[in-house]
PDB file of all heavy atoms in Angstrom:
ATOM      1  N   ARG Z 530     132.916 134.888  86.902  1.00  0.00           N
ATOM      2  CA  ARG Z 530     133.920 133.846  86.766  1.00  0.00           C
ATOM      3  C   ARG Z 530     135.246 134.362  87.315  1.00  0.00           C
ATOM      4  O   ARG Z 530     135.764 135.364  86.820  1.00  0.00           O
ATOM      5  CB  ARG Z 530     134.083 133.433  85.307  1.00  0.00           C
ATOM      6  CG  ARG Z 530     132.920 132.601  84.750  1.00  0.00           C
ATOM      7  CD  ARG Z 530     133.147 132.287  83.290  1.00  0.00           C
ATOM      8  NE  ARG Z 530     134.410 131.574  83.095  1.00  0.00           N
ATOM      9  CZ  ARG Z 530     134.522 130.238  83.086  1.00  0.00           C
ATOM     10  NH1 ARG Z 530     133.441 129.492  83.269  1.00  0.00           N
ATOM     11  NH2 ARG Z 530     135.679 129.668  82.881  1.00  0.00           N
ATOM     12  N   ARG Z 531     135.761 133.697  88.345  1.00  0.00           N
ATOM     13  CA  ARG Z 531     136.945 134.222  89.037  1.00  0.00           C
ATOM     14  C   ARG Z 531     138.171 134.317  88.128  1.00  0.00           C
ATOM     15  O   ARG Z 531     139.002 135.220  88.298  1.00  0.00           O
ATOM     16  CB  ARG Z 531     137.253 133.315  90.253  1.00  0.00           C
ATOM     17  CG  ARG Z 531     138.430 133.812  91.092  1.00  0.00           C
ATOM     18  CD  ARG Z 531     138.136 135.148  91.731  1.00  0.00           C
ATOM     19  NE  ARG Z 531     139.278 135.651  92.491  1.00  0.00           N
ATOM     20  CZ  ARG Z 531     140.268 136.397  91.963  1.00  0.00           C
ATOM     21  NH1 ARG Z 531     140.241 136.694  90.667  1.00  0.00           N
ATOM     22  NH2 ARG Z 531     141.268 136.811  92.728  1.00  0.00           N
ATOM     23  N   ASP Z 532     138.277 133.414  87.161  1.00  0.00           N
ATOM     24  CA  ASP Z 532     139.469 133.429  86.295  1.00  0.00           C
ATOM     25  C   ASP Z 532     139.386 134.528  85.220  1.00  0.00           C
ATOM     26  O   ASP Z 532     140.346 134.722  84.474  1.00  0.00           O
ATOM     27  CB  ASP Z 532     139.693 132.068  85.642  1.00  0.00           C
ATOM     28  CG  ASP Z 532     138.507 131.591  84.838  1.00  0.00           C
ATOM     29  OD1 ASP Z 532     137.433 132.212  84.930  1.00  0.00           O
ATOM     30  OD2 ASP Z 532     138.654 130.592  84.111  1.00  0.00           O
ATOM     31  N   GLU Z 533     138.270 135.267  85.188  1.00  0.00           N
ATOM     32  CA  GLU Z 533     138.132 136.332  84.195  1.00  0.00           C
ATOM     33  C   GLU Z 533     138.251 137.735  84.790  1.00  0.00           C
ATOM     34  O   GLU Z 533     138.083 138.722  84.096  1.00  0.00           O
ATOM     35  CB  GLU Z 533     136.786 136.181  83.469  1.00  0.00           C
ATOM     36  CG  GLU Z 533     136.717 134.902  82.624  1.00  0.00           C
ATOM     37  CD  GLU Z 533     135.408 134.756  81.872  1.00  0.00           C
ATOM     38  OE1 GLU Z 533     134.520 135.619  82.071  1.00  0.00           O
ATOM     39  OE2 GLU Z 533     135.285 133.793  81.098  1.00  0.00           O
ATOM     40  N   ILE Z 534     138.517 137.814  86.095  1.00  0.00           N
ATOM     41  CA  ILE Z 534     138.703 139.118  86.735  1.00  0.00           C
ATOM     42  C   ILE Z 534     139.987 139.082  87.554  1.00  0.00           C
ATOM     43  O   ILE Z 534     140.492 138.025  87.918  1.00  0.00           O
ATOM     44  CB  ILE Z 534     137.518 139.478  87.661  1.00  0.00           C
ATOM     45  CG1 ILE Z 534     137.301 138.386  88.723  1.00  0.00           C
ATOM     46  CG2 ILE Z 534     136.249 139.734  86.842  1.00  0.00           C
ATOM     47  CD1 ILE Z 534     136.203 138.733  89.734  1.00  0.00           C
ATOM     48  N   GLU Z 535     140.519 140.279  87.843  1.00  0.00           N
ATOM     49  CA  GLU Z 535     141.727 140.425  88.654  1.00  0.00           C
ATOM     50  C   GLU Z 535     141.375 141.275  89.862  1.00  0.00           C
ATOM     51  O   GLU Z 535     140.871 142.387  89.711  1.00  0.00           O
ATOM     52  CB  GLU Z 535     142.868 141.087  87.864  1.00  0.00           C
ATOM     53  CG  GLU Z 535     143.228 140.406  86.570  1.00  0.00           C
ATOM     54  CD  GLU Z 535     142.318 140.796  85.418  1.00  0.00           C
ATOM     55  OE1 GLU Z 535     142.085 142.005  85.239  1.00  0.00           O
ATOM     56  OE2 GLU Z 535     141.852 139.891  84.688  1.00  0.00           O
ATOM     57  N   ILE Z 536     141.640 140.748  91.049  1.00  0.00           N
ATOM     58  CA  ILE Z 536     141.333 141.471  92.291  1.00  0.00           C
ATOM     59  C   ILE Z 536     142.638 141.854  92.975  1.00  0.00           C
ATOM     60  O   ILE Z 536     143.491 141.011  93.262  1.00  0.00           O
ATOM     61  CB  ILE Z 536     140.484 140.598  93.240  1.00  0.00           C
ATOM     62  CG1 ILE Z 536     139.143 140.257  92.580  1.00  0.00           C
ATOM     63  CG2 ILE Z 536     140.268 141.324  94.568  1.00  0.00           C
ATOM     64  CD1 ILE Z 536     138.260 139.341  93.420  1.00  0.00           C
ATOM     65  N   PHE Z 537     142.801 143.165  93.213  1.00  0.00           N
ATOM     66  CA  PHE Z 537     143.965 143.710  93.880  1.00  0.00           C
ATOM     67  C   PHE Z 537     143.539 144.182  95.280  1.00  0.00           C
ATOM     68  O   PHE Z 537     142.483 144.808  95.418  1.00  0.00           O
ATOM     69  CB  PHE Z 537     144.537 144.915  93.158  1.00  0.00           C
ATOM     70  CG  PHE Z 537     145.037 144.654  91.754  1.00  0.00           C
ATOM     71  CD1 PHE Z 537     145.478 145.723  90.974  1.00  0.00           C
ATOM     72  CD2 PHE Z 537     145.077 143.372  91.213  1.00  0.00           C
ATOM     73  CE1 PHE Z 537     145.948 145.515  89.682  1.00  0.00           C
ATOM     74  CE2 PHE Z 537     145.561 143.149  89.928  1.00  0.00           C
ATOM     75  CZ  PHE Z 537     145.987 144.227  89.165  1.00  0.00           C
ATOM     76  N   THR Z 538     144.353 143.931  96.293  1.00  0.00           N
ATOM     77  CA  THR Z 538     144.118 144.540  97.589  1.00  0.00           C
ATOM     78  C   THR Z 538     145.461 144.874  98.241  1.00  0.00           C
ATOM     79  O   THR Z 538     146.519 144.598  97.654  1.00  0.00           O
ATOM     80  CB  THR Z 538     143.221 143.665  98.480  1.00  0.00           C
ATOM     81  OG1 THR Z 538     142.791 144.455  99.607  1.00  0.00           O
ATOM     82  CG2 THR Z 538     143.927 142.423  98.985  1.00  0.00           C
ATOM     83  N   LYS Z 539     145.428 145.449  99.448  1.00  0.00           N
ATOM     84  CA  LYS Z 539     146.651 145.974 100.041  1.00  0.00           C
ATOM     85  C   LYS Z 539     146.657 145.725 101.557  1.00  0.00           C
ATOM     86  O   LYS Z 539     145.600 145.507 102.168  1.00  0.00           O
ATOM     87  CB  LYS Z 539     146.748 147.495  99.794  1.00  0.00           C
ATOM     88  CG  LYS Z 539     146.452 147.928  98.387  1.00  0.00           C
ATOM     89  CD  LYS Z 539     146.584 149.441  98.235  1.00  0.00           C
ATOM     90  CE  LYS Z 539     145.906 149.930  96.983  1.00  0.00           C
ATOM     91  NZ  LYS Z 539     144.441 149.866  97.024  1.00  0.00           N
ATOM     92  N   VAL Z 540     147.865 145.858 102.124  1.00  0.00           N
ATOM     93  CA  VAL Z 540     148.062 145.690 103.561  1.00  0.00           C
ATOM     94  C   VAL Z 540     149.058 146.746 104.036  1.00  0.00           C
ATOM     95  O   VAL Z 540     150.011 147.054 103.341  1.00  0.00           O
ATOM     96  CB  VAL Z 540     148.577 144.257 103.882  1.00  0.00           C
ATOM     97  CG1 VAL Z 540     149.890 143.944 103.133  1.00  0.00           C
ATOM     98  CG2 VAL Z 540     148.781 144.089 105.375  1.00  0.00           C
ATOM     99  N   TYR Z 541     148.837 147.298 105.201  1.00  0.00           N
ATOM    100  CA  TYR Z 541     149.771 148.203 105.897  1.00  0.00           C
ATOM    101  C   TYR Z 541     149.048 148.979 106.990  1.00  0.00           C
ATOM    102  O   TYR Z 541     149.450 148.950 108.137  1.00  0.00           O
ATOM    103  CB  TYR Z 541     150.449 149.197 104.931  1.00  0.00           C
ATOM    104  CG  TYR Z 541     151.207 150.291 105.663  1.00  0.00           C
ATOM    105  CD1 TYR Z 541     152.514 150.046 106.125  1.00  0.00           C
ATOM    106  CD2 TYR Z 541     150.646 151.546 105.903  1.00  0.00           C
ATOM    107  CE1 TYR Z 541     153.222 151.043 106.811  1.00  0.00           C
ATOM    108  CE2 TYR Z 541     151.345 152.542 106.576  1.00  0.00           C
ATOM    109  CZ  TYR Z 541     152.624 152.288 107.032  1.00  0.00           C
ATOM    110  OH  TYR Z 541     153.318 153.249 107.701  1.00  0.00           O
ATOM    111  N   TRP Z 542     147.990 149.697 106.637  1.00  0.00           N
ATOM    112  CA  TRP Z 542     147.337 150.589 107.590  1.00  0.00           C
ATOM    113  C   TRP Z 542     146.655 149.773 108.711  1.00  0.00           C
ATOM    114  O   TRP Z 542     146.331 148.600 108.509  1.00  0.00           O
ATOM    115  CB  TRP Z 542     146.299 151.485 106.879  1.00  0.00           C
ATOM    116  CG  TRP Z 542     146.918 152.418 105.902  1.00  0.00           C
ATOM    117  CD1 TRP Z 542     146.901 152.349 104.537  1.00  0.00           C
ATOM    118  CD2 TRP Z 542     147.714 153.590 106.224  1.00  0.00           C
ATOM    119  NE1 TRP Z 542     147.606 153.383 103.997  1.00  0.00           N
ATOM    120  CE2 TRP Z 542     148.102 154.157 104.986  1.00  0.00           C
ATOM    121  CE3 TRP Z 542     148.102 154.205 107.417  1.00  0.00           C
ATOM    122  CZ2 TRP Z 542     148.885 155.318 104.918  1.00  0.00           C
ATOM    123  CZ3 TRP Z 542     148.881 155.347 107.344  1.00  0.00           C
ATOM    124  CH2 TRP Z 542     149.266 155.899 106.114  1.00  0.00           C
ATOM    125  N   PRO Z 543     146.414 150.393 109.859  1.00  0.00           N
ATOM    126  CA  PRO Z 543     145.834 149.645 110.992  1.00  0.00           C
ATOM    127  C   PRO Z 543     144.520 148.985 110.659  1.00  0.00           C
ATOM    128  O   PRO Z 543     143.646 149.556 110.019  1.00  0.00           O
ATOM    129  CB  PRO Z 543     145.644 150.745 112.061  1.00  0.00           C
ATOM    130  CG  PRO Z 543     146.668 151.779 111.712  1.00  0.00           C
ATOM    131  CD  PRO Z 543     146.741 151.806 110.228  1.00  0.00           C
ATOM    132  N   THR Z 544     144.376 147.747 111.133  1.00  0.00           N
ATOM    133  CA  THR Z 544     143.111 147.004 110.996  1.00  0.00           C
ATOM    134  C   THR Z 544     142.606 146.578 112.363  1.00  0.00           C
ATOM    135  O   THR Z 544     141.675 145.755 112.449  1.00  0.00           O
ATOM    136  CB  THR Z 544     143.290 145.784 110.099  1.00  0.00           C
ATOM    137  OG1 THR Z 544     144.383 144.975 110.609  1.00  0.00           O
ATOM    138  CG2 THR Z 544     143.582 146.182 108.673  1.00  0.00           C
ATOM    139  N   GLY Z 545     143.155 147.128 113.422  1.00  0.00           N
ATOM    140  CA  GLY Z 545     142.761 146.816 114.783  1.00  0.00           C
ATOM    141  C   GLY Z 545     143.561 147.661 115.757  1.00  0.00           C
ATOM    142  O   GLY Z 545     144.449 148.424 115.352  1.00  0.00           O
ATOM    143  N   ALA Z 546     143.257 147.527 117.026  1.00  0.00           N
ATOM    144  CA  ALA Z 546     143.900 148.367 118.039  1.00  0.00           C
ATOM    145  C   ALA Z 546     145.256 147.833 118.483  1.00  0.00           C
ATOM    146  O   ALA Z 546     146.059 148.541 119.085  1.00  0.00           O
ATOM    147  CB  ALA Z 546     142.999 148.480 119.259  1.00  0.00           C
ATOM    148  N   GLY Z 547     145.546 146.587 118.213  1.00  0.00           N
ATOM    149  CA  GLY Z 547     146.770 145.973 118.685  1.00  0.00           C
ATOM    150  C   GLY Z 547     148.017 146.558 118.029  1.00  0.00           C
ATOM    151  O   GLY Z 547     147.986 147.074 116.917  1.00  0.00           O
ATOM    152  N   ARG Z 548     149.152 146.406 118.718  1.00  0.00           N
ATOM    153  CA  ARG Z 548     150.414 146.959 118.236  1.00  0.00           C
ATOM    154  C   ARG Z 548     150.865 146.281 116.946  1.00  0.00           C
ATOM    155  O   ARG Z 548     151.617 146.868 116.160  1.00  0.00           O
ATOM    156  CB  ARG Z 548     151.491 146.816 119.308  1.00  0.00           C
ATOM    157  CG  ARG Z 548     151.305 147.738 120.504  1.00  0.00           C
ATOM    158  CD  ARG Z 548     152.482 147.630 121.467  1.00  0.00           C
ATOM    159  NE  ARG Z 548     152.528 146.289 122.071  1.00  0.00           N
ATOM    160  CZ  ARG Z 548     151.849 145.964 123.172  1.00  0.00           C
ATOM    161  NH1 ARG Z 548     151.077 146.846 123.766  1.00  0.00           N
ATOM    162  NH2 ARG Z 548     151.941 144.740 123.677  1.00  0.00           N
ATOM    163  N   ASN Z 549     150.452 145.038 116.734  1.00  0.00           N
ATOM    164  CA  ASN Z 549     150.875 144.297 115.530  1.00  0.00           C
ATOM    165  C   ASN Z 549     149.789 144.239 114.472  1.00  0.00           C
ATOM    166  O   ASN Z 549     149.945 143.530 113.467  1.00  0.00           O
ATOM    167  CB  ASN Z 549     151.301 142.886 115.925  1.00  0.00           C
ATOM    168  CG  ASN Z 549     152.582 142.871 116.736  1.00  0.00           C
ATOM    169  OD1 ASN Z 549     153.564 143.518 116.356  1.00  0.00           O
ATOM    170  ND2 ASN Z 549     152.575 142.174 117.856  1.00  0.00           N
ATOM    171  N   ASN Z 550     148.717 144.996 114.644  1.00  0.00           N
ATOM    172  CA  ASN Z 550     147.627 145.060 113.649  1.00  0.00           C
ATOM    173  C   ASN Z 550     147.874 146.181 112.656  1.00  0.00           C
ATOM    174  O   ASN Z 550     146.948 146.865 112.239  1.00  0.00           O
ATOM    175  CB  ASN Z 550     146.274 145.260 114.323  1.00  0.00           C
ATOM    176  CG  ASN Z 550     145.845 144.071 115.151  1.00  0.00           C
ATOM    177  OD1 ASN Z 550     145.512 144.239 116.335  1.00  0.00           O
ATOM    178  ND2 ASN Z 550     145.857 142.897 114.562  1.00  0.00           N
ATOM    179  N   ARG Z 551     149.108 146.365 112.266  1.00  0.00           N
ATOM    180  CA  ARG Z 551     149.469 147.473 111.390  1.00  0.00           C
ATOM    181  C   ARG Z 551     150.872 147.241 110.841  1.00  0.00           C
ATOM    182  O   ARG Z 551     151.607 146.390 111.334  1.00  0.00           O
ATOM    183  CB  ARG Z 551     149.419 148.796 112.164  1.00  0.00           C
ATOM    184  CG  ARG Z 551     150.394 148.828 113.354  1.00  0.00           C
ATOM    185  CD  ARG Z 551     149.985 149.855 114.394  1.00  0.00           C
ATOM    186  NE  ARG Z 551     148.724 149.464 115.012  1.00  0.00           N
ATOM    187  CZ  ARG Z 551     147.733 150.309 115.286  1.00  0.00           C
ATOM    188  NH1 ARG Z 551     147.879 151.587 115.022  1.00  0.00           N
ATOM    189  NH2 ARG Z 551     146.631 149.880 115.843  1.00  0.00           N
ATOM    190  N   GLY Z 552     151.251 147.983 109.809  1.00  0.00           N
ATOM    191  CA  GLY Z 552     152.582 147.867 109.276  1.00  0.00           C
ATOM    192  C   GLY Z 552     152.761 146.633 108.395  1.00  0.00           C
ATOM    193  O   GLY Z 552     151.799 145.989 107.967  1.00  0.00           O
ATOM    194  N   LEU Z 553     154.014 146.295 108.159  1.00  0.00           N
ATOM    195  CA  LEU Z 553     154.353 145.183 107.276  1.00  0.00           C
ATOM    196  C   LEU Z 553     155.130 144.095 107.991  1.00  0.00           C
ATOM    197  O   LEU Z 553     155.991 143.422 107.427  1.00  0.00           O
ATOM    198  CB  LEU Z 553     155.152 145.697 106.066  1.00  0.00           C
ATOM    199  CG  LEU Z 553     154.420 146.703 105.168  1.00  0.00           C
ATOM    200  CD1 LEU Z 553     155.349 147.177 104.049  1.00  0.00           C
ATOM    201  CD2 LEU Z 553     153.140 146.118 104.595  1.00  0.00           C
ATOM    202  N   ASN Z 554     154.842 143.914 109.294  1.00  0.00           N
ATOM    203  CA  ASN Z 554     155.439 142.807 110.015  1.00  0.00           C
ATOM    204  C   ASN Z 554     154.765 141.494 109.560  1.00  0.00           C
ATOM    205  O   ASN Z 554     153.652 141.486 109.053  1.00  0.00           O
ATOM    206  CB  ASN Z 554     155.297 142.992 111.528  1.00  0.00           C
ATOM    207  CG  ASN Z 554     153.851 143.027 111.988  1.00  0.00           C
ATOM    208  OD1 ASN Z 554     153.207 142.004 112.193  1.00  0.00           O
ATOM    209  ND2 ASN Z 554     153.294 144.230 112.147  1.00  0.00           N
ATOM    210  N   ARG Z 555     155.456 140.395 109.756  1.00  0.00           N
ATOM    211  CA  ARG Z 555     154.957 139.108 109.284  1.00  0.00           C
ATOM    212  C   ARG Z 555     153.589 138.752 109.856  1.00  0.00           C
ATOM    213  O   ARG Z 555     152.703 138.293 109.136  1.00  0.00           O
ATOM    214  CB  ARG Z 555     155.983 138.021 109.644  1.00  0.00           C
ATOM    215  CG  ARG Z 555     155.606 136.620 109.177  1.00  0.00           C
ATOM    216  CD  ARG Z 555     156.668 135.590 109.519  1.00  0.00           C
ATOM    217  NE  ARG Z 555     156.318 134.287 109.024  1.00  0.00           N
ATOM    218  CZ  ARG Z 555     156.549 133.883 107.771  1.00  0.00           C
ATOM    219  NH1 ARG Z 555     157.148 134.704 106.924  1.00  0.00           N
ATOM    220  NH2 ARG Z 555     156.206 132.685 107.382  1.00  0.00           N
ATOM    221  N   LYS Z 556     153.393 138.990 111.139  1.00  0.00           N
ATOM    222  CA  LYS Z 556     152.123 138.657 111.791  1.00  0.00           C
ATOM    223  C   LYS Z 556     150.963 139.384 111.109  1.00  0.00           C
ATOM    224  O   LYS Z 556     149.924 138.799 110.798  1.00  0.00           O
ATOM    225  CB  LYS Z 556     152.190 139.007 113.283  1.00  0.00           C
ATOM    226  CG  LYS Z 556     150.920 138.693 114.080  1.00  0.00           C
ATOM    227  CD  LYS Z 556     151.113 139.066 115.547  1.00  0.00           C
ATOM    228  CE  LYS Z 556     149.860 138.816 116.365  1.00  0.00           C
ATOM    229  NZ  LYS Z 556     149.612 137.361 116.545  1.00  0.00           N
ATOM    230  N   HIS Z 557     151.149 140.694 110.891  1.00  0.00           N
ATOM    231  CA  HIS Z 557     150.066 141.476 110.298  1.00  0.00           C
ATOM    232  C   HIS Z 557     149.802 141.074 108.849  1.00  0.00           C
ATOM    233  O   HIS Z 557     148.649 140.955 108.413  1.00  0.00           O
ATOM    234  CB  HIS Z 557     150.412 142.959 110.370  1.00  0.00           C
ATOM    235  CG  HIS Z 557     149.323 143.869 109.885  1.00  0.00           C
ATOM    236  ND1 HIS Z 557     148.028 143.786 110.327  1.00  0.00           N
ATOM    237  CD2 HIS Z 557     149.328 144.903 109.005  1.00  0.00           C
ATOM    238  CE1 HIS Z 557     147.288 144.707 109.738  1.00  0.00           C
ATOM    239  NE2 HIS Z 557     148.058 145.400 108.918  1.00  0.00           N
ATOM    240  N   ILE Z 558     150.855 140.870 108.092  1.00  0.00           N
ATOM    241  CA  ILE Z 558     150.691 140.489 106.673  1.00  0.00           C
ATOM    242  C   ILE Z 558     149.934 139.171 106.521  1.00  0.00           C
ATOM    243  O   ILE Z 558     148.947 139.098 105.777  1.00  0.00           O
ATOM    244  CB  ILE Z 558     152.061 140.404 105.956  1.00  0.00           C
ATOM    245  CG1 ILE Z 558     152.648 141.796 105.775  1.00  0.00           C
ATOM    246  CG2 ILE Z 558     151.914 139.711 104.597  1.00  0.00           C
ATOM    247  CD1 ILE Z 558     154.066 141.805 105.216  1.00  0.00           C
ATOM    248  N   LEU Z 559     150.368 138.147 107.224  1.00  0.00           N
ATOM    249  CA  LEU Z 559     149.746 136.829 107.047  1.00  0.00           C
ATOM    250  C   LEU Z 559     148.296 136.840 107.553  1.00  0.00           C
ATOM    251  O   LEU Z 559     147.391 136.252 106.932  1.00  0.00           O
ATOM    252  CB  LEU Z 559     150.549 135.757 107.772  1.00  0.00           C
ATOM    253  CG  LEU Z 559     151.988 135.582 107.254  1.00  0.00           C
ATOM    254  CD1 LEU Z 559     152.676 134.419 107.975  1.00  0.00           C
ATOM    255  CD2 LEU Z 559     152.005 135.342 105.750  1.00  0.00           C
ATOM    256  N   ARG Z 560     148.056 137.485 108.689  1.00  0.00           N
ATOM    257  CA  ARG Z 560     146.719 137.561 109.240  1.00  0.00           C
ATOM    258  C   ARG Z 560     145.802 138.393 108.338  1.00  0.00           C
ATOM    259  O   ARG Z 560     144.665 138.023 108.064  1.00  0.00           O
ATOM    260  CB  ARG Z 560     146.749 138.164 110.656  1.00  0.00           C
ATOM    261  CG  ARG Z 560     145.395 138.233 111.349  1.00  0.00           C
ATOM    262  CD  ARG Z 560     144.783 136.872 111.540  1.00  0.00           C
ATOM    263  NE  ARG Z 560     143.555 136.958 112.326  1.00  0.00           N
ATOM    264  CZ  ARG Z 560     142.623 136.035 112.314  1.00  0.00           C
ATOM    265  NH1 ARG Z 560     142.772 134.950 111.566  1.00  0.00           N
ATOM    266  NH2 ARG Z 560     141.535 136.153 113.056  1.00  0.00           N
ATOM    267  N   SER Z 561     146.345 139.511 107.851  1.00  0.00           N
ATOM    268  CA  SER Z 561     145.546 140.402 106.986  1.00  0.00           C
ATOM    269  C   SER Z 561     145.189 139.758 105.671  1.00  0.00           C
ATOM    270  O   SER Z 561     144.087 139.930 105.156  1.00  0.00           O
ATOM    271  CB  SER Z 561     146.299 141.711 106.745  1.00  0.00           C
ATOM    272  OG  SER Z 561     146.404 142.484 107.922  1.00  0.00           O
ATOM    273  N   ALA Z 562     146.114 138.970 105.115  1.00  0.00           N
ATOM    274  CA  ALA Z 562     145.829 138.298 103.862  1.00  0.00           C
ATOM    275  C   ALA Z 562     144.661 137.313 104.036  1.00  0.00           C
ATOM    276  O   ALA Z 562     143.751 137.262 103.197  1.00  0.00           O
ATOM    277  CB  ALA Z 562     147.055 137.548 103.380  1.00  0.00           C
ATOM    278  N   ASP Z 563     144.675 136.560 105.099  1.00  0.00           N
ATOM    279  CA  ASP Z 563     143.563 135.626 105.369  1.00  0.00           C
ATOM    280  C   ASP Z 563     142.242 136.373 105.532  1.00  0.00           C
ATOM    281  O   ASP Z 563     141.198 135.939 105.032  1.00  0.00           O
ATOM    282  CB  ASP Z 563     143.850 134.785 106.597  1.00  0.00           C
ATOM    283  CG  ASP Z 563     144.876 133.677 106.327  1.00  0.00           C
ATOM    284  OD1 ASP Z 563     145.094 133.334 105.150  1.00  0.00           O
ATOM    285  OD2 ASP Z 563     145.461 133.164 107.305  1.00  0.00           O
ATOM    286  N   ASN Z 564     142.281 137.487 106.250  1.00  0.00           N
ATOM    287  CA  ASN Z 564     141.049 138.270 106.455  1.00  0.00           C
ATOM    288  C   ASN Z 564     140.558 138.874 105.127  1.00  0.00           C
ATOM    289  O   ASN Z 564     139.342 138.912 104.880  1.00  0.00           O
ATOM    290  CB  ASN Z 564     141.301 139.372 107.475  1.00  0.00           C
ATOM    291  CG  ASN Z 564     141.397 138.834 108.888  1.00  0.00           C
ATOM    292  OD1 ASN Z 564     140.878 137.767 109.183  1.00  0.00           O
ATOM    293  ND2 ASN Z 564     142.076 139.547 109.772  1.00  0.00           N
ATOM    294  N   SER Z 565     141.488 139.316 104.279  1.00  0.00           N
ATOM    295  CA  SER Z 565     141.069 139.863 102.998  1.00  0.00           C
ATOM    296  C   SER Z 565     140.436 138.812 102.116  1.00  0.00           C
ATOM    297  O   SER Z 565     139.440 139.032 101.438  1.00  0.00           O
ATOM    298  CB  SER Z 565     142.263 140.512 102.282  1.00  0.00           C
ATOM    299  OG  SER Z 565     142.642 141.730 102.888  1.00  0.00           O
ATOM    300  N   LEU Z 566     141.033 137.616 102.120  1.00  0.00           N
ATOM    301  CA  LEU Z 566     140.464 136.528 101.341  1.00  0.00           C
ATOM    302  C   LEU Z 566     139.041 136.195 101.815  1.00  0.00           C
ATOM    303  O   LEU Z 566     138.151 135.977 100.981  1.00  0.00           O
ATOM    304  CB  LEU Z 566     141.355 135.279 101.490  1.00  0.00           C
ATOM    305  CG  LEU Z 566     142.707 135.329 100.776  1.00  0.00           C
ATOM    306  CD1 LEU Z 566     143.583 134.169 101.229  1.00  0.00           C
ATOM    307  CD2 LEU Z 566     142.511 135.296  99.271  1.00  0.00           C
ATOM    308  N   ARG Z 567     138.840 136.204 103.108  1.00  0.00           N
ATOM    309  CA  ARG Z 567     137.502 135.919 103.656  1.00  0.00           C
ATOM    310  C   ARG Z 567     136.525 137.006 103.254  1.00  0.00           C
ATOM    311  O   ARG Z 567     135.393 136.708 102.819  1.00  0.00           O
ATOM    312  CB  ARG Z 567     137.596 135.820 105.189  1.00  0.00           C
ATOM    313  CG  ARG Z 567     136.233 135.683 105.865  1.00  0.00           C
ATOM    314  CD  ARG Z 567     136.403 135.570 107.371  1.00  0.00           C
ATOM    315  NE  ARG Z 567     137.222 136.619 107.940  1.00  0.00           N
ATOM    316  CZ  ARG Z 567     136.773 137.880 108.177  1.00  0.00           C
ATOM    317  NH1 ARG Z 567     135.518 138.214 107.878  1.00  0.00           N
ATOM    318  NH2 ARG Z 567     137.578 138.767 108.705  1.00  0.00           N
ATOM    319  N   ARG Z 568     136.910 138.277 103.423  1.00  0.00           N
ATOM    320  CA  ARG Z 568     135.999 139.365 103.102  1.00  0.00           C
ATOM    321  C   ARG Z 568     135.668 139.409 101.594  1.00  0.00           C
ATOM    322  O   ARG Z 568     134.546 139.728 101.206  1.00  0.00           O
ATOM    323  CB  ARG Z 568     136.582 140.700 103.557  1.00  0.00           C
ATOM    324  CG  ARG Z 568     136.544 140.893 105.067  1.00  0.00           C
ATOM    325  CD  ARG Z 568     136.890 142.327 105.445  1.00  0.00           C
ATOM    326  NE  ARG Z 568     138.303 142.610 105.206  1.00  0.00           N
ATOM    327  CZ  ARG Z 568     139.264 142.601 106.109  1.00  0.00           C
ATOM    328  NH1 ARG Z 568     138.961 142.276 107.369  1.00  0.00           N
ATOM    329  NH2 ARG Z 568     140.508 142.910 105.790  1.00  0.00           N
ATOM    330  N   LEU Z 569     136.657 139.130 100.774  1.00  0.00           N
ATOM    331  CA  LEU Z 569     136.472 139.168  99.325  1.00  0.00           C
ATOM    332  C   LEU Z 569     135.758 137.936  98.811  1.00  0.00           C
ATOM    333  O   LEU Z 569     135.310 137.898  97.649  1.00  0.00           O
ATOM    334  CB  LEU Z 569     137.813 139.339  98.638  1.00  0.00           C
ATOM    335  CG  LEU Z 569     138.477 140.725  98.768  1.00  0.00           C
ATOM    336  CD1 LEU Z 569     139.944 140.667  98.391  1.00  0.00           C
ATOM    337  CD2 LEU Z 569     137.744 141.764  97.921  1.00  0.00           C
ATOM    338  N   GLY Z 570     135.709 136.890  99.618  1.00  0.00           N
ATOM    339  CA  GLY Z 570     135.024 135.674  99.191  1.00  0.00           C
ATOM    340  C   GLY Z 570     135.769 134.950  98.089  1.00  0.00           C
ATOM    341  O   GLY Z 570     135.146 134.392  97.180  1.00  0.00           O
TER     342      GLY Z 570
END
C-alpha cells in the first residue's frame, strides 16, 4: 500500500553522458524526477 511506506530518492550524480545530465540544474532535476518516478513505479 503506497500510503503506508515512504520512498526517498536523490538527484545530483551523472545519469548520462550529456553536460546537463548531472548536478542540480533545473533541466537535470526535472528530468531525473520523472525518470525516478518511472523506475520506482
Side-chain angles (χ1 to χ4, degrees):
R530 287 178 58 92
R531 182 65 182 88
D532 57 350
E533 294 182 356
I534 57 176
E535 305 82 47
I536 298 177
F537 298 175
T538 193
K539 314 180 197 71
V540 57
Y541 170 82
W542 295 106
T544 53
R548 289 185 294 274
N549 292 311
N550 294 127
R551 61 202 66 222
L553 298 177
N554 63 83
R555 182 179 182 84
K556 181 179 178 71
H557 185 50
I558 288 174
L559 298 184
R560 182 62 174 159
S561 292
D563 284 341
N564 287 335
S565 288
L566 289 169
R567 173 179 52 79
R568 286 190 291 261
L569 288 164

